[in-house]
Amino acid sequence: MINNTKSLHVLIIGGGVAGLALALFLKKAGITCTIYEAYAYKGEAGSGLNIAPNGMNVLAALGLADELAARGAITLEHCFRSENGKVLARIPYGDINKYGQPGVSMSRATLYEVLTNEINKSGIEIKYNKRLLSINEYSIGVKANFEDGDSDSGDILIGADGIRSITRSHILPQGLEPSFVGVVGVGGFVKLEKVPELTQQDLSSLNYTFGAKGFFGYCAVDRGYAMWWSNLHANQPMSEAALRDTSMDKLQQEMLAIYKDFHGPAAALIKHTERPLRQNISDIQSLPTWHKGRVLLIGDAAHAVSPNAGQGASMALEDAMYLAKLLRDGKDDYVKVFTQFEGDRKGRVEKIVAEGRKRGVGKQEVSPFQARIRNMMMSIFLKLFGIKGIDWVYKYKIDWE
Ligand SMILES: Cc1cc2nc3c(=O)[nH]c(=O)nc-3n(C[C@H](O)[C@H](O)[C@H](O)COP(=O)(O)OP(=O)(O)OC[C@H]3O[C@@H](n4cnc5c(N)ncnc54)[C@H](O)[C@@H]3O)c2cc1C
């Protein structure tokens, strides 16, 4: 039934980072909602993530930062190296005094588990296997139609359905597809015991190695694991069949051909990979609008950012908290709230999306000479400007009061 009272009922499409966090903040704001997720709950879903201090501050506002910091791996610095292991620069990352929270690396499964436990404790309804197909808007409400023939109605609908958002095609029926950024992201998890060469300092850092043939990153995550990630450059996205083929032999051969001579742990991490992942990396630089009528986009649905920025999940968390705050204060004037939300958030997130794309380019294959020059410049700039260049991203804080 469509809710005609003054208090809104919100339909949230997508039970990912943005959708789960939004539901929890709406609960704090006294607003009811239901989450609709296309898939069944996946305990072992996906890759690993580093949540930056700005994202951890949002999780702290939900009372979940301590649990995630205890279960994940706290990261205190970014460490940049050349392929022979020479440290180009170390810059501080998780300065709690400055940012309020450290950065924390974790598996996506852990993040989902912690958020979902909180959803269940809060009594928020989450409906799995509900894939949105289409949306109908009326003067008094909005209706979501699902693939299984069901439908549900509410006052407003928030599309938190990720980079391939169906909600987005309701707002922008002329279509706007995410752009492939020329990178296939590759990575995996490795048991820490398989890489004894990782030092304590490595385990509390985000480690990035820049060589002539490419880029290789690694860090500790939760449950006694490390994760690594790298970019394979490609003119075309990989086919679905090729992405699904994560046979270890092929992945190892492909990656070792590039990274076997990289310093220290690179080859060991590749050799001992469990659950390898390959993903076409796309982004959404700028949409003409994020909302229409009773429907608004948040998270990757509105502004997907390349993993090279390390900020997609944090942006989704910020969106969730800020939107819930505006809805709490704006009562039922959702048009005003949606307009203000887009106006206040767009500049920040689009700057970060652009930065993510730029960082991906810096990780391409170059000649050994170009690599030496690039690494020298990187070392100078990072030592000179270091954390100052990124402070504005980590320092951002939403005041819930
Ligand atoms: C390889 C990789 C590594 C990354 N690493 C990092 C990192 O280290 N740090 C970081 O901050 N970010 C990282 N990101 C980005 C981050 O994962 C995303 O920005 C973040 O997950 C966005 O959250 P979201 O909720 O908007 O979208 P998602 O997390 O994608 O969630 C969308 C949800 O909507 C559901 N859905 C989709 N369509 C429908 C439908 N029609 N009906 C109902 N439900 C639907 C999906 O099943 C999904 O559960 C990485 C991304 C990738 C691909």
Side-chain angles (χ1 to χ4, degrees), residues 203-266:
L203 296 177
S204 57
S205 304
L206 289 174
N207 302 281
Y208 316 100
T209 300
F210 290 80
K213 286 188 185 163
F215 158 84
F216 193 88
Y218 56 93
C219 67
V221 274
D222 49 21
R223 304 176 194 198
Y225 276 86
M227 69 173 176
W228 63 269
W229 63 97
S230 181
N231 292 340
L232 289 175
H233 292 274
N235 294 329
Q236 296 292 327
M238 271 190 174
S239 68
E240 281 303 315
L243 288 175
R244 271 197 303 274
D245 175 15
T246 48
S247 66
M248 281 303 304
D249 286 357
K250 210 165 157 199
L251 183 82
Q252 279 171 350
Q253 275 166 25
E254 209 173 344
M255 298 306 293
L256 284 173
I258 305 173
Y259 297 110
K260 68 175 182 332
D261 296 328
F262 266 40
H263 74 97

Side-chain angles (χ1 to χ4, degrees), residues 12-20 36-39 42 47-52 108 112 130-133 146 159-167 185-186 227 277 279-281 298-317:
I12 300 175
I13 306 300
V17 184
L20 296 172
Y36 304 88
E37 165 55 44
Y39 294 96
K42 281 183 285 184
S47 55
L49 292 165
N50 180 269
I51 307 283
R108 201 172 283 261
Y112 279 18
K130 288 285 172 203
R131 180 175 291 278
L132 180 79
L133 269 192
F146 300 100
D161 46 348
I163 189 164
R164 306 277 158 204
S165 169
I166 295 292
T167 311
V186 190
M227 69 173 176
L277 281 159
Q279 209 155 355
N280 291 318
I281 304 296
I298 65 169
D300 273 12
H303 48 72
V305 47
S306 150
N308 287 306
Q311 276 290 326
S314 292
M315 293 293 99
L317 289 163

Side-chain angles (χ1 to χ4, degrees), residues 35 60 87 94 145 152 162 166 173 181 203 239 254 313 323 327 332 362 393:
I35 306 168
V87 174
N145 306 302
D152 253 336
I166 295 292
V181 301
L203 296 177
S239 68
E254 209 173 344
L323 176 61
L327 286 169
D332 58 341
V393 177

